[in-house]
């Protein structure tokens, strides 16, 4: 319930369910606090979101990438790439290393920034590879937007990234194939109807 309120950026509703948990003598865990931070971040109240992070630490909860994700994501959507990077620095201070989702969010922040930050996006892509992370189709599509398809091809060739292998079997590819097959099916049905009509007329 807190998670649902968080997605809707309904902070008051999320706070209500958190209060209900406490009244029922249930101890909020990492998921509950993370959802509260997400609600605040989605509503644009980053100070309150950070406050819930502090509460997690005070409760002795071990923070992970998921705990920081709402703040990074909120900054990324607004194109606040410097703010997103600051959250990652705070993650590292808590001995939490960014995962692929976090790096993808950071690259998205560079794309949404005004002006766009292609050089920072490229640096982040190189950094994620150096960290031993394997980019997925979403990462590559986000990178395309941030630095341009032509530059992405150059960088991937330089770094030995097999882009075809990444997209092969991805949900993007499957969706494309589904649409193509649907069009082919419709075209074939249309041809059959035309043949039947010709035969009937004959």
């Amino acid at each position: 319930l807190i998670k649902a309120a968080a997605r809707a950026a309904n902070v008051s509703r999320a706070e209500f369910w958190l209060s209900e948990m406490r009244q029922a003598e249930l101890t909020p865990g990492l998921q509950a606090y993370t959802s509260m931070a997400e609600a605040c971040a989605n509503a644009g109240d980053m100070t309150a979101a950070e406050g819930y992070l502090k509460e997690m630490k005070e409760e002795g909860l071990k923070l992970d990438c998921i705990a920081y994700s709402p703040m990074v994501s909120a900054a990324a959507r607004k194109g606040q790439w410097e703010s997103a990077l600051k959250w990652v620095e705070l993650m590292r201070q808590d001995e939490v290393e960014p995962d692929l989702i976090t790096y993808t969010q950071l690259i998205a922040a560079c794309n949404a920034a005004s002006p766009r930050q292609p050089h920072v996006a490229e640096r982040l892509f190189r950094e994620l590879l150096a960290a031993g992370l394997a980019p997925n189709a979403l990462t590559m599509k986000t990178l395309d937007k941030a630095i341009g398809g032509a530059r992405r091809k150059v960088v991937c060739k330089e770094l030995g990234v097999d882009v075809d292998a990444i997209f092969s079997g991805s949900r993007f590819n499957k969706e494309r194939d589904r649409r193509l097959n649907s069009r082919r099916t419709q075209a074939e049905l249309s041809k059959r109807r035309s043949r039947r009509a010709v035969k009937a007329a004959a």
Side-chain angles (χ1 to χ4, degrees):
L1 295 173
I2 298 176
K3 184 68 174 176
R7 287 174 177 167
N10 191 333
V11 178
S12 61
R13 194 63 180 168
E15 287 174 339
F16 167 79
W17 288 116
L18 182 65
S19 176
E20 288 288 295
M21 281 185 69
R22 286 169 171 160
Q23 287 180 20
E25 298 184 352
L26 296 172
T27 303
L30 185 64
Q31 184 175 358
Y33 279 118
T34 300
S35 294
M36 287 304 308
E38 181 181 358
C40 296
N42 287 341
D45 190 346
M46 301 304 286
T47 301
E50 189 172 359
Y52 280 109
L53 282 181
K54 290 179 180 177
E55 280 194 51
M56 291 186 224
K57 295 177 186 179
E58 290 168 359
E59 292 291 332
L61 297 171
K62 185 172 176 59
L63 294 147
D64 57 14
C65 285
I66 295 173
Y68 280 96
S69 182
M71 279 61 72
V72 178
S73 179
R77 286 196 301 272
K78 296 176 182 178
Q80 297 172 347
W81 63 277
E82 291 174 305
S83 177
L85 286 173
K86 285 179 182 177
W87 282 110
V88 172
E89 285 307 310
L90 288 174
M91 285 174 60
R92 287 180 166 139
Q93 287 175 23
D94 287 327
E95 299 182 348
V96 178
E97 285 300 316
D99 59 8
L100 182 63
I101 293 174
T102 304
Y103 273 110
T104 303
Q105 289 173 334
L106 291 173
I107 294 171
C110 294
N111 177 56
S114 181
R116 200 170 53 167
Q117 300 295 317
H119 298 299
V120 179
E122 183 178 325
R123 175 174 63 79
L124 289 165
F125 182 67
R126 291 173 181 273
E127 190 177 302
L128 78 86
L129 292 174
L133 298 173
N136 59 22
L138 178 59
T139 306
M140 301 310 298
K141 281 185 168 289
T142 306
L143 185 67
D144 267 359
K145 294 176 182 177
I147 70 174
R151 180 59 187 168
R152 189 265 298 163
K153 289 178 182 178
V154 172
V155 172
C156 288
K157 185 177 180 180
E158 175 195 336
L159 300 174
V161 177
D162 190 343
V163 179
D164 291 336
I166 292 172
F167 280 100
S168 178
S170 74
R171 66 184 181 87
F172 298 102
N173 243 24
K174 289 177 181 178
E175 178 64 17
R176 182 202 63 188
D177 291 343
R178 185 190 68 77
R179 290 175 179 173
L180 283 174
N181 288 333
S182 176
R183 288 172 187 165
R184 287 168 183 161
T185 300
Q186 292 298 322
E188 185 61 31
L189 286 172
S190 179
K191 287 179 182 178
R192 288 177 184 176
R193 291 192 191 101
S194 296
R195 292 191 195 111
R196 288 172 187 165
V198 170
K199 288 181 180 179

